[in-house]
Amino acid sequence: CYQLPALTGRGLVLVVSPLIALMADQLRGARELGVQAVMLASGMPDGHNAQALREIRAGEVQLVLAAPERFASGAFREALAGQAVSLFVVDEAHCVAEWGHDFRPDYLRLHHAIGMLGRPPVMAATATATPRVSEEIAARLGLRDPLLVRSGFDRPNLSFDVLSFEGKGAMARKRGALLYRLRSADGLPAIVYCGTRRQTEEVTASLQDAGLACVAYHAGLPSERRHRAQQAFMAGEAQVVVATNAFGMGVDKRDVRTVAHWAIPTSLEAYYQEAGRAGRDAEPARALLLASRVDLGRLIRFNTERDTSVADVRDFLSGLAGRAADGVLEGDPPGDEERMLLAVAERAGGVTLAPAPGGRLRVAVTGQFDGDAAYRALRVARDRGWEAYRAIERFVSNDDCRRRQLLAHFGDPGTGAPTGRCCDVCAPDPELARAATAPPPPPPPRTRARAGDGEREAAGEPVDPGAFEQLRTWRRERAEGKPAYTVASDATLEEILRTRPATRDELLAIRGIGPAFCEKHGAALLETLAATPTA
């Protein structure tokens, strides 16, 4: 949508995008198509942004990809001022809207940037906006009488399953259903989304105990460990990433075959955005939602606990005023509870908001407050929270076609046209249902569990200690400084020694071994294995 206009030669196309990884992928794609493109963002090599600015000033560029914080740079604004911008694009435009979980303070600056550039044509692009969010995006960006283009929300190659778990043994049955899907011939690679950091760690451990090459990803982990986990998954060294919603946007792994939700997400928007990370290669893929009433209770508590009064907003404003220097504070974007208080205070005229350097937020306390406006904003926020709850609750409990429910939620009048299986309502999967009704056998006892590297190893029939150490040495060399489990778990090495595969196909039959492993390590492993002692 915006690479093609860049080729017309009618002026510069400027694209605002929230993530460096996303921009880097788009930059590669644009250049492969012959577009003269540059990107500007923090964390680039020395001299990169300066060179990009020189190319923009010289008129050598057709397409500019920039993070929203770039507009805080005078040099960037000056470089753009000398060019005729023919199209201003806001990508991932849901980041503008209603203080959602993807809200970015720097997006607040964009309507000023559009005005600074003489109000060129503006395009806002997102794949996850309901009609109401679309209206808010237009209002936030100052769009007048915008043309709304909906290309359809259906993902024909995805199938949808919702399974409910209640009563005694529910967690064991949930684990059995997840393992059945992940162990299916078309189950991997997979993303498993959890509702909390604790769940993420517990599910990761459970899947590792079951012999899957699995990594955890959540915001509570050190950034280096998160980076290693993401790289292991993207490179195919880990078959499964278990994550909170901190993992996802900007991650474009095209061959994901399964996206599973261990807990019910907070909204259908969040669910569909995360489920849509499966099957980006257009091959068949599945979205599996493992639901329980406990999850719905958690969402009810979340809505109840954030029930806020006008007096709460006044107290919050008083606290801001007490901490402000000359009426102004700067800080990191707020968490969920404070985020809503700040949003209501803005709508009541108590504060004005603007981005600050480094992705931070500048809050100016005005000394004014419209209680009626605050009441109306609180009512809207409360209603939206309960509407989101009711929508996801209906999706889980309703016996209507899952695909049709999703399309209707996003205002798509189509019925959907799946290229294969549709959903558990239209085409039940008896084997998956059977796996969800009987608890799986208990995992084998662990012989060791090392804290810190996320690896857990299962016991089985004894193997030759000398051969095992040879394979561990081989694994350490192949890991090239990464955690050993990113190559293979100890349980997988032991199974290799028990079965002694001699061909790639025999290697693929071992649990924990996939095509990506064979491509990267298969020949070297078979050669090493042939030289190890037999029991």
Side-chain angles (χ1 to χ4, degrees):
C1 291
Y2 46 75
Q3 288 175 350
L4 186 60
L7 288 170
T8 64
R10 296 178 181 175
L12 186 67
V13 174
L14 174 59
V15 181
V16 180
S17 189
L19 292 176
I20 292 174
L22 204 57
M23 286 190 285
D25 284 345
Q26 292 168 346
L27 181 69
R28 282 193 295 272
R31 287 179 170 173
E32 287 172 3
L33 293 172
V35 180
Q36 294 171 288
V38 296
M39 67 174 279
L40 296 99
S42 58
M44 303 303 292
D46 287 346
H48 172 95
N49 287 342
Q51 176 61 31
L53 289 174
R54 284 194 291 270
E55 293 177 23
I56 294 171
R57 292 190 192 99
E60 300 171 355
V61 176
Q62 297 167 298
L63 178 70
V64 175
L65 296 155
E69 66 266 19
R70 283 298 103 191
F71 291 96
S73 163
F76 181 61
R77 295 196 304 270
E78 177 270 327
L80 292 176
Q83 303 300 316
V85 176
S86 62
L87 182 64
F88 189 107
V89 181
V90 182
D91 204 2
E92 304 293 346
H94 54 274
C95 293
V96 175
E98 196 50 48
W99 297 83
H101 69 277
D102 286 329
F103 174 79
R104 291 276 292 265
D106 283 288
Y107 274 78
L108 293 170
R109 182 181 278 119
L110 296 185
H111 71 284
H112 295 301
I114 293 166
M116 175 197 75
L117 295 171
R119 298 208 61 83
V122 176
M123 180 174 73
T126 174
T128 55
T130 62
R132 182 162 58 192
V133 170
S134 298
E135 292 173 6
E136 183 173 356
I137 290 169
R140 286 276 185 181
L141 295 176
L143 308 186
R144 297 187 296 268
D145 192 24
L147 171 67
L148 184 62
V149 178
R150 291 181 178 272
S151 59
F153 282 83
D154 193 16
R155 290 287 305 281
N157 62 312
L158 295 191
S159 63
F160 302 92
D161 289 279
V162 178
L163 300 176
S164 295
F165 299 87
E166 306 299 335
K168 186 177 179 180
M171 287 301 102
R173 295 195 303 275
K174 184 185 280 195
R175 178 177 177 270
L178 179 61
L179 283 173
Y180 171 80
R181 175 58 198 154
L182 298 183
R183 287 172 172 167
S184 299
D186 59 348
L188 299 172
I191 303 172
V192 180
Y193 281 108
C194 294
T196 65
R197 296 175 185 181
R198 180 178 176 181
Q199 273 185 358
T200 301
E201 297 286 355
E202 290 171 351
V203 173
T204 300
S206 175
L207 295 181
Q208 289 172 346
D209 285 343
L212 292 168
C214 180
V215 291
Y217 187 106
H218 60 72
L221 296 173
S223 59
E224 182 181 347
R225 187 172 167 192
R226 291 200 306 271
H227 178 73
R228 286 203 310 267
Q230 180 170 329
Q231 290 302 109
F233 182 63
M234 297 298 288
E237 296 162 355
Q239 301 162 307
V240 185
V241 59
V242 182
T244 61
N245 61 11
F247 180 86
M249 195 161 78
V251 177
D252 190 15
K253 184 173 174 64
R254 303 188 65 80
D255 62 343
V256 173
R257 301 271 65 85
T258 301
V259 169
H261 283 83
W262 182 260
I264 299 174
T266 57
S267 69
L268 272 181
E269 288 88 345
Y271 167 76
Y272 202 39
Q273 185 180 62
E274 290 158 3
R277 289 169 187 143
R280 292 187 174 182
D281 56 2
E283 295 298 319
R286 289 176 76 166
L288 174 62
L289 175 52
L290 307 167
S292 70
R293 284 286 160 187
V294 173
D295 298 331
L296 292 175
R298 172 178 55 85
L299 298 181
I300 289 172
R301 284 195 305 275
F302 177 73
N303 274 328
T304 303
E305 289 169 0
R306 71 176 185 178
D307 199 3
T308 305
S309 68
V310 173
D312 292 331
V313 181
R314 287 187 186 274
D315 290 344
F316 174 69
L317 273 174
S318 178
L320 288 180
R323 301 198 310 270
D326 296 326
V328 175
L329 302 93
E330 286 189 6
D332 292 330
D336 287 334
E337 182 178 354
E338 197 173 70
R339 179 184 299 170
M340 191 178 75
L341 287 165
L342 197 57
V344 173
E346 179 201 26
R347 286 155 176 77
V351 297
T352 60
L353 306 175
R360 289 155 66 86
L361 187 65
R362 182 180 187 274
V363 181
V365 181
T366 66
Q368 302 173 15
F369 186 74
D370 183 338
D372 290 340
Y375 175 80
R376 290 193 298 270
L378 286 169
R379 184 170 180 174
V380 168
R382 182 170 57 248
D383 289 348
R384 286 192 178 186
W386 286 112
E387 284 173 17
Y389 166 79
R390 286 191 289 270
I392 195 72
E393 194 272 340
R394 280 195 303 271
F395 180 73
V396 168
S397 60
N398 211 323
D399 58 1
D400 293 340
C401 169
R402 310 291 179 191
R403 185 182 306 275
R404 181 68 214 114
Q405 288 187 70
L406 288 166
L407 297 182
H409 180 77
F410 287 100
D412 186 336
T415 58
T419 52
R421 179 176 175 271
C422 180
C423 68
D424 62 292
V425 176
C426 299
D429 182 339
E431 294 300 320
L432 180 61
R434 190 173 297 117
T437 56
R446 298 177 209 148
T447 56
R448 60 187 74 84
R450 293 204 298 265
D453 66 358
E455 181 174 358
R456 296 168 182 265
E457 299 146 4
E461 291 298 318
V463 297
D464 182 88
F468 184 59
E469 285 308 312
Q470 280 185 245
L471 285 194
R472 282 169 63 90
T473 299
W474 169 86
R475 179 182 64 180
R476 187 165 53 250
E477 292 169 352
R478 301 296 293 190
E480 298 177 340
K482 298 177 183 175
Y485 72 87
T486 62
V487 176
S489 69
D490 278 7
T492 300
L493 295 185
E494 290 171 352
E495 190 62 21
I496 289 168
L497 288 172
R498 292 187 194 103
T499 58
R500 291 276 170 174
T503 67
R504 186 178 187 273
D505 287 343
E506 291 175 357
L507 193 56
L508 278 169
I510 295 172
R511 190 175 67 188
I513 298 294
F517 175 96
C518 287
E519 185 72 25
K520 188 169 185 178
H521 304 297
L525 174 60
L526 293 175
E527 183 180 341
T528 300
L529 184 64
T532 60
T534 57

